Amino acid sequence: VLHATRPLHTTQQSLAPVPPLPEKGGEVRHGLIPEEFFQFLYPKTGVTGPYMLGTGLLLYLLSKEIYVVNHETAAAACILAVIIYGVKKFGPDVAAFADKLNEEKIATALAMKNEAIQTLQTAIEEEKKEQWRVEGRSYLFDAKRNNIAMLLEANYRERLLMVYNEVKKRLDYQVAMQTLKRQKEQDHMIQWVEKNVVQSITPQQQKESIAKCILDLKALSKSAHAAV
Amino acid sequence: LPAAVLLKDTKLMDVKLGQLGSWLAMRDFTPGGIMGAMQRGYNRYYNKYINVRKGGLGGLSMVLAGYIVLSYMWSYSHV
């Protein structure tokens, strides 16, 4: 439930960037009276006006005993003298020391800020580099695709070779079987023919053929003798 | 003709002497208002004299002088 009476943010208020600190504070004269007082009285009374006012006030306070002079006055006077002497002598050194402390604080804060900015900058560059690297994805995938294609091809050829070898083995077996069979048939037939022929040669035919051979040999030897 | 500014919004230095009474009468005297006024006064003094890069002695010494004067005024009857 939004209460209508609550003030909503209508101005451009924002917390950052914070405006820088002013360099010097308000001017104070004699460490006690702000400069605005002197400026306030300047148009009417000139430069000496506030001092006359101060002197008059002081004399009035003293004469009317509004400010009573007693032992505390002497003590206050001595203390004031010492304080003023101390301030005049050591003021600038103390101011320089305090300024140095401040400077160191500011320097550390600035260093941190710069370091943070630097880290973010490097992070940005790294990110850009990564984005550039991503563009190379397509090459990577092409290479991978090529690899896979080669693997598939190699596998396919391997299997083709195996198939060829197996088929060849079976065909060789069939061929070997046929040659063996023919060989066996041939051998068997030769043997059978030889056996039959040997069987068919009767003893009488053997004698006749032997006699014929002898006659042929004699004839041959005669012709050979004649030739020689 | 100068734009009519409500008496409520004028600053103390712009109030005419005759209007002083009525101006004082319509200030906020509730506790919240008084706290607000003290806070504002403190903030003004702080941001003018103390919350600066190179603050001087005057910022602190004015407070101490004011304290001295006030304590003298309070203990005047015993002097």
Side-chain angles (χ1 to χ4, degrees), chain A residues 21-26 28 31-32 34 36 40 65-68 70 87 99 102, chain B residues 13 47-59 61-62 65 72 76 79:
Chain A
L21 282 179
E23 271 295 319
K24 295 177 72 59
V28 173
L32 278 181
E36 281 85 10
F40 179 64
E65 288 258 304
I66 294 178
Y67 178 68
V68 178
N70 49 11
V87 163
D99 283 343
N102 254 7
Chain B
M13 301 306 277
N47 284 329
K48 182 147 189 229
Y49 290 106
I50 302 189
N51 198 11
V52 292
R53 284 246 177 113
K54 283 171 70 67
L57 190 60
S61 73
M62 277 198 288
Y72 185 82
Y76 182 65
V79 170

Side-chain angles (χ1 to χ4, degrees), chain A residues 3 27 32 44 84 92 100 121 140-141 150 171 184 219:
Chain A
H3 295 278
E27 277 285 322
L32 278 181
K44 288 288 193 304
I84 288 177
K100 198 155 70 73
Q121 201 88 335
L140 189 70
F141 289 153
M150 268 199 279
L171 288 177
K184 284 290 176 230

Side-chain angles (χ1 to χ4, degrees), chain B residues 21-73:
Chain B
S22 48
W23 185 88
L24 256 152
M26 42 136 252
R27 292 299 287 172
D28 190 5
F29 286 112
T30 65
I34 291 182
M35 293 305 294
M38 289 170 75
Q39 187 70 26
R40 279 199 306 274
Y42 172 78
N43 279 345
R44 262 181 64 186
Y45 186 81
Y46 181 74
N47 284 329
K48 182 147 189 229
Y49 290 106
I50 302 189
N51 198 11
V52 292
R53 284 246 177 113
K54 283 171 70 67
L57 190 60
L60 185 63
S61 73
M62 277 198 288
V63 175
L64 290 177
Y67 170 70
I68 290 173
V69 168
L70 205 64
S71 63
Y72 185 82
M73 279 176 10

Side-chain angles (χ1 to χ4, degrees), chain A residues 178-189:
Chain A
Q178 280 184 358
T179 23
L180 182 69
K181 197 164 172 193
R182 199 169 296 145
Q183 189 101 3
K184 284 290 176 230
E185 284 176 357
Q186 213 169 357
D187 285 345
H188 184 255
M189 209 183 305

